[in-house]
Amino acid sequence: MGGVRTALYNYLYAKQRGGDFILRIEDTDSHRFVPGAEEYIIEALSWCGIKPDEGVDENGKVVETASEKHPHAPYRQSQRRDIYKQYADRLVASGNAYYAFDSSEELDAKRAECEAAGQTFIYNQKSRMTLRNSLTLPEEETQRLLRETSGWTIRFKMPENTVVRMDDLIRGHVEINTDTLDDKVLWKKADELPTYHLANIVDDHLMEITEVIRGEEWLPSLPLHYLLYEAFGWEDTRPRFAHLPLLLKPVGNGKLSKRDGDKMGFPVFPLNWVNSEGETYHGYREDGYFPGAFVNLLAMLGWNPGTEQEIFTMEQLIESFSIDKVSKAGAKFNPEKARWFNKEYLRATPDEDLATAFVPVLESKGFSVTAGTTDLHARKVSSEYVRDIISFTKERATFVKDFWTIASCLFVAPEEFEAFGIKAGASVEPKAADNRPKDPRAKEYDDSLTAPFLAKDADKFWKPEIAALVSSVSEYVMAYQGEWTVAAVGESVEDYIRTNGWPMGKVMNAIRLALAGSASGLGIADIITRIGKDETASRIAYALKRLGTQASL
């Protein structure tokens, strides 16, 4: 999520100012290379509607050959390795960098020695003069090691007691003394690749980058990057920097991690991701989120438009986004707010589009959607029937998949719930988790004894005297000759119950239990007018047979 938010803010900033958003694959750290990550990044950005102006072609491939549209190719840093070495050599020649020949074993021994003395080892202007590098070794020895060994590196020579003055678009003016900084590695002979520090500075200069918006974790590197621009003589073309606040976990303190998502049941990846160990992490796309809702969610994590508006299209975000309204403080992620964004996007989506999105769900359940008439027993539903269901249930849904949960009784009779994997009470609108301790005095219910009917509802509403009244209502519906609309049928059934002096709430709940498997959910007239008289009578007859006239469970 954090990486996509960073890309989104860069994209909004660039588009608002008529600039270009460039995608560059930074793969110079051979130890952290992840197969498939490049394709994943491109697909994730595409799903979010974030389209790079440079770096990716129309087929979703990283551009390797320069052209008028992609003048700075290749955009994969591992294919630009020959470029970086000459700039590293340039720093050595100007005295801003040096060769270091210390082995990892030697450096580990030095760290252990410092730890034993209660100190922290830092490769800096003090320690460098006690180590094996071109600053301490004779020139002849230095040249020999360069020719005959492959473990050496090029380190930046951090100046002594120098105040680096920096400006950040979010955090303002920052100053730091170089005596607190270390001599970072810029280039490695072992794989002949640069580190992030050198590669990014060189590429940002060559690609004419004017603004760099990145995560807060890179803020400690800003002094080095400022000094690199000075060492190359590029101060006049140095981009402006902005460091975004961290995304924080929903509960407690600390940075949001995939472990938080696993623990609390929400995705932290835009798309499903399978790591090198074969572990799968679910994504927002696969969980049913609209890309616009996900983008809207990310935009509001750290940025405030300064108004009451919370729902934005991409075009509105481009128009409204301002880097000076990005917070310095970390942004706490709220999973329920993420669901709220999706619910709002679903409500705003045309019924026709939602119906189209719902078709694959129905097909996975064995239904075919046709232009003809609806025949539930034949597992055929018309497009009009689907649109109608979407229209009157969309206020209850958060995801497209919820339409099946909420309205499954409009496709399948309770008698067939088990065959479709529908649990008792499935049509009840999902509620937020209740973490309150369970009352030990509360009655325990076993839905298997009453399935497909919810046990607690059957116990509460399916009484002998009420069951008889439900049967009478079934006969009344079969004989009904009035207007076949939700309003007319609903009013007529209620008038019938009221005229007979029957308890309205108890009878209506028992009818809904028979029709949908639970006492709560869709309106009774909503169900009856859609499934028809015969299906209504059939379901009530099945409930009478399955539940009988028992007084309690």
Side-chain angles (χ1 to χ4, degrees), residues 396-462:
R396 297 168 175 260
T398 299
F399 303 99
V400 170
K401 61 187 177 184
D402 291 346
F403 290 119
W404 174 257
T405 302
I406 294 167
S408 56
C409 66
L410 299 179
F411 299 95
V412 181
E415 186 175 359
E416 297 180 292
F417 275 8
E418 183 178 0
F420 281 82
I422 302 172
K423 296 181 179 180
S427 61
V428 179
E429 185 175 2
K431 297 180 180 179
D434 188 351
N435 296 319
R436 292 176 297 178
K438 189 175 183 180
D439 187 345
R441 299 169 297 176
K443 185 174 181 178
E444 296 286 341
Y445 291 103
D446 184 355
D447 288 333
S448 65
L449 298 177
T450 59
F453 304 103
L454 199 61
K456 70 179 184 65
D457 288 351
D459 180 43
K460 185 175 182 179
F461 300 111
W462 199 263

Side-chain angles (χ1 to χ4, degrees), residues 445 454-470 503-514 517-520 547-553:
Y445 291 103
L454 199 61
K456 70 179 184 65
D457 288 351
D459 180 43
K460 185 175 182 179
F461 300 111
W462 199 263
K463 307 298 183 181
E465 64 276 14
I466 300 300
L469 303 182
V470 171
M504 182 68 70
K506 293 181 180 180
V507 175
M508 295 293 272
N509 279 314
I511 293 173
R512 188 182 290 105
L513 177 66
S518 63
S520 57
L547 297 176
T549 57
Q550 55 205 44
S552 61
L553 297 166

